[in-house]
Amino acid sequence: MTASAQKHKADTSQAVADAYITINKIYILGNDKTKRYIITRELGFKEGDQIALTNLDEVMTRSRNNVYNTNLFSTVEFEQLEISDTEIDVLIKLEERWYVWPSFILKPIDRNFIDWWKNRDKDFSRVRFGPKLDIYNVRGRKESLRFIGFFGFDRRFIFQYSFPYIDKNQKHGLTLGASSVINKKMPYETVNHVNNFITDTSEFVDQVNREAYSGYLIYKFRPSFYDYHYLTLQGYTMTISDDIANLNPNYFGDGATHQAAFGLSYSYVRDRRDNRNYPLDGYRIFGEMEKLGLGIFGDVDIWRATAFYQHYIDFQNKWYLSTSFGGQITSPDAAYFNYTEFGEGTYYVRGFEQFLVEGPHNVLSKNSLKREIFKTDINLGRFMPIKKFKKLPFAVYAKTFVDVGYVNNYPNYEQNARLTNKPLYSAGIGLDIVMLYDITLRLEYSYNSEGQFRFAPNFMAEL
């Protein structure tokens, strides 16, 4: 290359680096219900902004992901409409999700499929059933309403309403909720890391053995796109039968049959994942400090600190890595009902789905390497009269994983010592099947540190 050609190339590169693009107009199509300001709140730009040309694609991608992560839309597309060399319009094309979900739920009460299959002898009577109503994007403002009425194994009612924003600047929000639970059948102790229940054969099954009422108020502060602060005030009152207190005097401690408490917690989340339901790139930071028992009733006095970091890497060739590390530190002096549980939700070492490991302190790391095998949109066409369900996304990822955890046991809790105070680890392979609205079916086969092979299906994200 001649000296003049090199100089021309350098001048061109410098010109691109110095160039700015002005956002003229922002057009939004497809928001039939959603208010415009709910969408523009998620954009990293506004009309009249100037964006460096070298940053334009990243700003558009981030903004597109922000809009999609509202969970209000099934598809989000951004188009740049060139007006001149230095000015563009932005066209945002949306497909709104279905927002009203009335349903009748038939749901097992156990922690997961393996708990039900292995520990409960595949007992089909261990189910809750009843109506459930979820309404998302109420009034087009991203508000949500939930009502659940469960019967069967127990009787519970749940109500929640969420206001994502209560101010014009869309930084402050509120969520409020309440619930009630009445049990005849219930877990009253844990032996060898498996809950023991009052069941149909128990002599106490025909009486109410637990009754609980609770409520909460959550204040949310969102100062930026990716940072969230939550302040939660909760309260509950719970009563158990004399028979439960006799079976486990430590249920509430010292043979008590009643516990009431207020709790206050602060949590912080920084979330820069590309897709919150099934992330492939980005990271999430979570930290929480909780105080249960504010000195009003004197029944509970527990501190709990939780921290977790999740990282996702897209290698750009259909290979993806996800890794996480975190843990909890809790006051060790607690009644059985207030024990910290390692094994609920997704907080466990894969391969140990069967067991509930209780302890005041724990750490957990989960790691997966996955490869996209298949990804498409299934077009149902004329076979589906509802427009929002005509296209069904479908993707399959193969993966291998390694998990490591550790739980410190409670003092004098020898009946659940087998899996505490030692490393828990596993390795395995699996498939993730991602469907409509990023619902994920996980099929995992693992070998754990207890020498057990386990196959576990689950409808839940892995981290």
Side-chain angles (χ1 to χ4, degrees):
M1 182 180 295
T2 64
S4 59
Q6 289 178 336
K7 183 178 184 302
H8 176 73
K9 181 178 180 181
D11 291 343
T12 302
S13 299
Q14 186 61 45
V16 171
D18 293 340
Y20 280 81
I21 298 296
T22 300
I23 306 298
N24 181 47
K25 294 290 184 182
I26 300 172
Y27 299 101
I28 303 176
L29 299 178
N31 58 321
D32 299 331
K33 182 174 183 177
T34 309
K35 303 295 185 184
R36 178 183 174 92
Y37 66 81
I38 294 295
I39 301 161
T40 57
R41 169 65 172 86
E42 306 301 326
L43 303 181
F45 55 87
K46 60 183 183 296
E47 293 180 354
D49 277 0
Q50 292 186 324
I51 302 173
L53 181 59
T54 53
N55 296 333
L56 184 62
D57 287 344
E58 180 182 356
V59 170
M60 291 296 166
T61 299
R62 286 287 185 186
S63 298
R64 182 265 169 204
N65 290 344
N66 291 349
V67 175
Y68 184 81
N69 280 328
T70 62
N71 287 328
L72 299 178
F73 310 102
S74 54
T75 61
V76 178
E77 298 179 9
F78 276 45
E79 290 186 16
Q80 300 174 30
L81 309 178
E82 185 176 336
I83 298 176
S84 68
D85 291 343
T86 60
E87 196 173 13
I88 62 171
D89 288 339
V90 177
L91 173 62
I92 303 174
K93 296 192 290 186
L94 309 168
E95 181 71 40
E96 290 184 323
R97 293 189 175 192
W98 190 265
Y99 296 133
V100 181
W101 291 90
S103 58
F104 185 87
I105 300 297
L106 184 66
K107 181 179 181 180
I109 65 104
D110 298 302
R111 293 178 294 109
N112 53 57
F113 178 81
I114 297 301
D115 184 24
W116 175 75
W117 187 272
K118 292 284 188 180
N119 299 332
R120 315 303 171 190
D121 197 28
K122 304 176 281 294
D123 183 356
F124 283 94
S125 71
R126 298 176 62 84
V127 295
R128 299 184 182 109
F129 58 86
K132 177 184 178 184
L133 175 64
D134 281 309
I135 304 178
Y136 303 100
N137 205 17
V138 178
R139 303 192 297 168
R141 301 181 182 187
K142 202 186 171 187
E143 297 171 7
S144 63
L145 166 69
R146 166 168 288 184
F147 174 78
I148 300 174
F150 277 146
F151 304 89
F153 195 87
D154 56 16
R155 186 165 77 242
R156 61 181 61 204
F157 297 95
I158 301 170
F159 169 81
Q160 177 179 287
Y161 199 95
S162 177
F163 302 88
Y165 306 114
I166 57 174
D167 65 317
K168 290 184 178 180
N169 293 327
Q170 301 181 76
K171 292 185 177 182
H172 306 273
L174 287 176
T175 298
L176 54 91
S179 67
S180 68
V181 181
I182 297 177
N183 298 86
K184 293 183 177 180
K185 308 171 186 178
M186 58 170 285
Y188 62 90
E189 67 175 353
T190 307
V191 177
N192 199 22
H193 305 293
V194 177
N195 291 134
N196 281 340
F197 276 74
I198 298 294
T199 63
D200 288 329
T201 60
S202 303
E203 58 181 308
F204 315 123
V205 72
D206 292 326
Q207 67 185 23
V208 172
N209 285 300
R210 182 172 64 181
E211 189 169 355
Y213 301 91
S214 64
Y216 57 88
L217 179 66
I218 304 172
Y219 164 71
K220 179 186 74 173
F221 175 53
R222 186 187 178 193
S224 65
F225 290 124
Y226 309 109
D227 296 292
Y228 301 80
H229 303 264
Y230 298 93
L231 190 65
T232 302
L233 175 66
Q234 62 167 314
Y236 68 86
T237 178
M238 182 179 298
T239 302
I240 59 174
S241 67
D242 292 336
D243 296 307
I244 296 298
N246 289 332
L247 287 171
N248 184 1
N250 193 42
Y251 192 90
F252 287 148
D254 298 325
T257 60
H258 181 263
Q259 186 182 101
F262 283 103
L264 188 65
S265 67
Y266 164 77
S267 57
Y268 167 74
V269 177
R270 181 167 178 81
D271 195 339
R272 298 204 64 163
R273 296 173 296 175
D274 59 344
N275 181 336
R276 292 177 184 174
N277 298 319
Y278 193 80
L280 296 172
D281 191 42
Y283 66 89
R284 180 179 183 268
I285 300 170
F286 173 82
E288 182 179 67
M289 180 63 73
E290 177 185 7
K291 178 62 168 69
L292 186 60
L294 303 182
I296 298 174
F297 299 106
D299 292 348
V300 186
D301 183 16
I302 295 175
W303 287 91
R304 180 179 291 114
T306 304
F308 222 77
Y309 177 75
Q310 301 162 337
H311 198 88
Y312 305 86
I313 300 174
D314 179 358
F315 292 117
Q316 302 296 326
N317 55 359
K318 298 186 178 182
W319 284 93
Y320 305 93
L321 176 68
S322 62
T323 184
S324 66
F325 181 81
Q328 295 177 304
I329 299 175
T330 313
S331 305
D333 185 14
Y336 172 76
F337 174 73
N338 305 112
Y339 280 175
T340 298
E341 297 177 334
F342 188 93
E344 288 285 353
T346 62
Y347 198 71
Y348 59 86
V349 172
R350 283 171 283 192
F352 288 92
E353 291 86 354
Q354 181 179 351
F355 304 112
L356 187 65
V357 188
E358 297 154 325
H361 316 315
N362 62 67
V363 292
L364 175 65
S365 178
K366 305 178 78 169
N367 310 275
S368 296
L369 178 66
K370 63 186 68 175
R371 174 68 157 82
E372 179 189 310
I373 303 300
F374 181 77
K375 187 175 183 179
T376 189
D377 287 327
I378 302 173
N379 194 335
L380 300 180
R382 60 186 178 88
F383 297 104
M384 172 51 65
I386 302 175
K387 181 181 178 182
K388 298 182 190 299
F389 297 104
K390 284 185 179 293
K391 289 185 178 181
L392 300 180
F394 187 83
V396 178
Y397 298 85
K399 66 184 180 183
T400 182
F401 59 86
V402 175
D403 294 352
V404 181
Y406 186 93
V407 182
N408 185 42
N409 200 9
Y410 280 101
N412 304 313
Y413 199 39
E414 299 306 319
Q415 66 194 50
N416 288 286
R418 180 169 62 90
L419 299 178
T420 57
N421 299 333
K422 67 177 183 180
L424 304 176
Y425 52 88
S426 68
I429 58 175
L431 289 176
D432 287 352
I433 302 172
V434 185
M435 297 168 282
L436 180 68
Y437 295 173
D438 302 313
I439 296 172
T440 303
L441 170 62
R442 289 167 37 217
L443 303 174
E444 296 169 341
Y445 187 77
S446 61
Y447 178 77
N448 67 30
S449 53
E450 296 293 291
Q452 300 166 325
F453 289 94
R454 286 285 185 261
F455 171 73
N458 215 325
F459 275 99
M460 202 176 291
E462 64 186 15
L463 298 184

